[in-house]
């Protein structure tokens, strides 16, 4: 993760730098995460981010158009860095590691802010919600697809459905019920969704037979 | 469902009726649903509900304290009426019917409003969120517990976990991703959570062996 630059002292805006393209984008997104961490969702204005990043406010509006787009972009980049897709060779271990990391992320203020932004409705966001989450689902579905290819999962497994069954309860705890989010909870979910609730007459899902 | 009384004409408030206790409560909650259906979440003020129900605004504040409490109470009552817990004698059929009804409810403006209110954070709501959803989970868990008792499900099945794995993806589609909510989706989820994604060497979950 790129560390955020320290915010400028009040009344003393940093001189606008003419950084362009990817460097400017990375600096602004890092500054956004820094401002979010310090001032929360409500205190993260485009002006505060511009001051922290040392760029003109108008540059931010030109590129991101809205505060929501800017925050969503910053948090998405951070979420992707916090959620690498593991490849251990065993689908249960991959899913348990990935969804435990998601539970940890959602238990942080930034993770919850990301989720809350995705749940907010405004004229600028609906366009981005479905593509954004479709892409996130697709990242997770890779692990399931590998499990199917290795014969660890049934050949007719729907990878997107498996990912939704694992992510949905975590999102619900973070956003709706307020119930605690722990790695053990993520692990039990993985066992349920892989093994099912029907009575079992074969090895437990923790130890799938290697090929 | 109790039909909502027609809203009073503008500038002509209905005369306050001195209804008390349960009758007053039922009338006010029905009026709240009516105002919600006509004016949406943003247009549902305590004043509008008071006019529609023909009661004093102060009576509503005395009983519910906040607009959010009033709306949550009204929508909860409607949700419980829309979500009867079936008892067909087969856990798969019970769960498929219940979660198809939940998908239908969440696809309506009122169902989505109920969920959105539960996701909102304000000083009056957090106290009610966890107890509210714990009670809702418990309603659904009854079906799973019956399935365990009949031997249809594994004896170590965690009923609350099963219910969360089924409700979470539906809530996520309604609130976050915006992906379509259909009965077929609910049905596929039930099959996944009961049967699991591991390769199967016994009858499909659609046809569990009768006792």
């Amino acid at each position: 993760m790129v560390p955020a630059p320290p915010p400028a002292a009040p009344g003393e805006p940093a001189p606008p730098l003419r950084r362009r393209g990817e460097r400017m984008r990375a600096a602004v997104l890092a500054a956004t995460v820094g401002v979010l961490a310090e001032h929360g969702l409500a205190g993260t204005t485009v002006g505060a981010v511009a001051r922290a990043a040392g760029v003109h406010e108008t540059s931010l509006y030109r590129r991101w158009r809205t505060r929501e787009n800017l925050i969503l972009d910053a948090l998405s980049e951070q979420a992707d860095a916090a959620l690498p897709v593991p490849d251990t060779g065993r689908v249960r271990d991959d899913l348990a590691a990935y969804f435990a990391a998601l539970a940890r992320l959602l238990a942080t203020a930034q993770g919850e802010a990301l989720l809350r932004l995705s749940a907010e409705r405004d004229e600028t966001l609906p366009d981005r919600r479905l593509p954004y989450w479709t892409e996130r689902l697709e990242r997770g579905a890779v692990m399931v697809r590998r499990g199917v290819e290795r014969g660890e999962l049934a050949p007719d497994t729907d990878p997107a459905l498996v990912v939704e069954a694992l992510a949905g309860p975590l999102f619900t705890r973070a956003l709706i019920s307020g119930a605690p989010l722990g790695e053990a909870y993520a692990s039990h979910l993985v066992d349920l969704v892989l093994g099912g609730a029907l009575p079992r007459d074969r090895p437990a899902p923790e130890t799938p037979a290697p090929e």
Side-chain angles (χ1 to χ4, degrees), chain A residues 65-157:
Chain A
R65 291 196 337 273
T66 67
R67 169 183 168 272
E68 284 75 18
N69 279 337
L70 172 61
I71 297 176
L72 195 54
D73 210 9
L75 290 176
S76 302
E77 190 134 304
Q78 210 196 19
D80 288 347
L83 289 175
V85 175
D87 188 7
T88 64
R90 280 170 174 266
V91 68
R92 198 224 163 253
D93 295 344
D94 285 354
L95 292 173
Y98 186 81
F99 287 95
L102 179 59
R104 279 195 302 271
L105 177 68
L106 292 174
T108 68
Q110 286 165 23
E112 200 193 310
L114 173 59
L115 196 60
R116 255 172 219 292
L117 269 180
S118 295
E120 272 178 21
R121 281 280 194 86
D122 88 28
E123 292 85 71
T124 68
L125 284 176
D127 294 336
R128 296 192 59 192
R129 283 197 313 163
L130 191 52
Y132 174 80
W133 286 104
T134 303
E135 193 193 314
R136 290 300 161 297
L137 272 180
E138 188 41 47
R139 277 171 64 93
V142 166
M143 293 174 283
V144 179
R145 209 166 282 121
R146 284 195 208 114
V148 172
E149 281 160 13
R150 284 191 298 260
E152 290 183 276
L153 300 181
D156 62 350
T157 302

Side-chain angles (χ1 to χ4, degrees), chain A residues 35-46:
Chain A
V35 174
L36 268 172
E38 194 170 356
H39 302 289
L41 199 49
T44 304
T45 60
V46 172

Side-chain angles (χ1 to χ4, degrees), chain A residues 7-28:
Chain A
E12 187 190 292
L17 305 177
R18 311 246 170 248
R19 301 184 232 184
R20 298 220 162 250
E22 275 314 296
R23 271 186 64 214
M24 184 263 212
R25 179 172 176 273
V28 169

Side-chain angles (χ1 to χ4, degrees), chain A residues 56-67:
Chain A
H56 277 303
E57 220 173 302
T58 47
S59 311
L60 301 193
Y61 280 111
R62 198 180 314 123
R63 181 157 195 151
W64 283 278
R65 291 196 337 273
T66 67
R67 169 183 168 272

